[in-house]
Amino acid sequence: MIKYFENLAKAMFGVKFHELGDQEQKVIESIANKEPLPENINLLFHEKLTFGQKMADKVASFGGSWTFIILFAILMLIWIAINSWLVLADQAFDPYPYILLNLALSTLAAMQAPIIMMSQNRQAAKDRFEIAANYEISLKTDIEMTRLHQKIDDLTQLLKTQEPIEKN
């Protein structure tokens, strides 16, 4: 089997098998063992995430939704309405210009920004992981097509060298 790896690597890439990168070796091994290459990228990637990373993704997902925007707008309107009404009774806990509301909004923005950035970084890492998997699949397809083309060429050459069968 090792000889097959060496021959295939030499034929396809012009180098020895052990000189190839990990991805190329993986592709050649899958061809030699006649195994499929694709894996569930989402499953593999999400298995590696920690609890904190999963939680950050959920927070970022909710923070970037229309549900969050609508709920937050309603909460702000209620806050302003209650405080405006309590101003008339001289009991407002956050009178105009709503400094406490401003502080809450600033704190929320300060917390959301790094959480969203962490989620985006993970998405970028997942994209790189998917690109690597797509490269492997594409490489395997190219190699298999080249091998198939060579077999058809060999078969065509063999048929050309045989004498035609005479019809009686």
Side-chain angles (χ1 to χ4, degrees), residues 8-162:
L8 191 56
K10 191 72 170 169
M12 294 297 141
F13 299 105
V15 296
K16 294 181 179 181
F17 180 75
H18 68 276
E19 294 174 355
L20 294 174
D22 291 340
Q23 288 179 306
E24 289 82 7
Q25 286 182 2
K26 182 178 176 183
V27 168
I28 289 180
E29 287 173 359
S30 75
I31 292 171
N33 297 326
K34 297 179 182 172
E35 296 173 345
L37 193 59
E39 299 167 333
N40 187 342
I41 302 302
N42 290 322
L43 184 62
L44 290 174
F45 187 79
H46 287 288
E47 284 177 349
K48 297 177 183 179
L49 294 180
T50 65
F51 175 76
Q53 291 171 328
K54 290 177 185 176
M55 185 60 86
D57 286 344
K58 288 180 183 178
V59 169
S61 176
F62 178 70
S65 70
W66 278 108
T67 303
F68 173 78
I69 293 169
I70 292 168
L71 287 174
F72 203 71
I74 290 170
L75 179 66
M76 286 185 6
L77 289 174
I78 290 171
W79 181 288
I80 292 169
I82 289 173
N83 276 290
S84 296
W85 182 70
L86 289 175
V87 160
L88 298 174
D90 204 27
Q91 297 176 356
F93 60 89
D94 187 22
Y96 183 81
Y98 311 113
I99 294 172
L100 187 57
L101 178 61
N102 191 10
L103 178 64
L105 293 173
S106 298
T107 303
L108 178 68
M111 294 303 292
Q112 266 189 325
I115 290 172
I116 290 170
M117 289 182 68
M118 287 187 307
S119 183
Q120 288 175 338
N121 288 340
R122 260 188 309 289
Q123 185 60 46
K126 182 180 177 186
D127 291 344
R128 286 190 297 274
F129 193 62
E130 287 178 354
I131 288 169
N134 286 339
Y135 167 73
E136 290 173 1
I137 292 167
S138 178
L139 180 61
K140 182 174 181 179
T141 302
D142 288 348
I143 292 171
E144 291 287 11
M145 291 294 289
T146 302
R147 292 177 62 215
L148 183 59
H149 191 274
Q150 185 61 45
K151 287 178 183 180
I152 291 173
D153 287 348
D154 292 346
L155 184 59
T156 304
Q157 189 64 32
L158 180 66
L159 291 174
K160 284 182 181 178
T161 60
Q162 291 182 345

